[in-house]
Amino acid sequence: MDQFDQTLASFIEAAGWLAPVFFVLLHLFRPLLFIPVIVVCIAGGVLFGFLQGAVLSFIGLSLMSLVSYLLVNKFPKFQEKVSRLKEKVFKDRTISVSQVMILRIMPFVHFHLLSLYLMEMSKTFKEYMYYSLLGLIMPAVLYTAFGEIITELPWYLTGLMFIILIIIYFYIAKQNDSRLESN
């Protein structure tokens, strides 16, 4: 990852005023390059600082949400692949918007899978983008601000943080299930 950061830093420095544009495009091409979201957001914090890095990551992730929507709606084979992944990962499980937002914070959770869930929960494109943008604020801010700290934490603290997120996820699921039962 250090080599990636150094290469990216050299490229951004040479790019000058186009650097933010290239960084946002990196978010769009990230899935094709198999680079995790957290790595790109951390790089944004290192290269542009917290505020600009978080804003650029939010813009890049927002555009990726738009691309996800277009891919699912224009290419049925892509939708089939993501739907199969959904069946493997979350068999017969319905998750809420709040749970999707928690999962967005977790590193290495498939971006398009969570976008598919939001599409299925939304009635319109506008509603999908609203929920999607809302769910992208925390990952952009957290990964940019605390990305380096998280990756440098000892494994047990990283594991503890992951367990806390899982507990929050299941707590929301329990609340959601009890709300559905009462209706």
Side-chain angles (χ1 to χ4, degrees):
M1 190 164 114
D2 288 336
Q3 184 180 4
F4 173 75
D5 286 342
Q6 290 171 353
T7 304
L8 191 58
S10 299
F11 178 75
I12 295 291
E13 189 176 305
W17 64 271
L18 283 174
V21 174
F22 289 137
F23 182 74
V24 168
L25 289 174
L26 177 62
H27 271 287
L28 291 175
F29 291 108
R30 175 197 55 76
L32 301 173
L33 302 171
F34 300 106
I35 301 172
V37 171
I38 191 170
V39 173
V40 179
C41 290
I42 290 170
V46 170
L47 298 170
F48 297 105
F50 167 68
L51 186 60
Q52 188 178 6
V55 168
L56 291 172
S57 287
F58 179 74
I59 292 168
L61 291 170
S62 299
L63 290 173
M64 193 68 240
S65 288
L66 175 65
V67 168
S68 291
Y69 187 87
L70 295 173
L71 286 172
V72 165
N73 288 304
K74 298 289 182 189
F75 300 102
K77 287 197 180 237
F78 182 79
Q79 183 177 9
E80 288 173 23
K81 287 182 181 183
V82 178
S83 293
R84 274 184 283 176
L85 179 63
K86 177 183 162 191
E87 286 303 313
K88 287 180 186 176
V89 175
F90 298 108
K91 275 188 180 173
D92 301 322
R93 179 108 178 124
T94 303
I95 62 176
S96 68
V97 173
S98 303
Q99 288 172 297
V100 171
M101 290 182 186
I102 294 295
L103 288 171
R104 286 258 196 228
I105 298 170
M106 292 183 183
F108 310 111
V109 176
H110 197 281
F111 189 89
H112 297 299
L113 174 62
L114 297 177
S115 293
L116 179 65
Y117 266 109
L118 287 177
M119 284 177 227
E120 291 174 351
M121 288 183 248
S122 305
K123 294 179 178 94
T124 64
F125 170 72
K126 185 178 178 180
E127 186 180 13
Y128 161 75
M129 285 305 293
Y130 172 78
Y131 287 134
S132 190
L133 295 176
L134 199 59
L136 294 173
I137 294 169
M138 287 306 291
V141 169
L142 285 176
Y143 292 162
T144 303
F146 303 110
E148 287 182 280
I149 295 169
I150 291 170
T151 57
E152 291 178 12
L153 285 175
W155 67 268
Y156 56 88
L157 289 178
T158 304
L160 178 64
M161 195 165 75
F162 187 71
I163 289 169
I164 289 169
L165 287 173
I166 288 173
I167 290 168
I168 292 169
Y169 171 83
F170 283 111
Y171 174 76
I172 292 171
K174 185 177 178 183
Q175 296 299 318
N176 191 40
D177 289 345
S178 62
R179 208 174 315 131
L180 289 174
E181 289 173 4
S182 66
N183 289 335

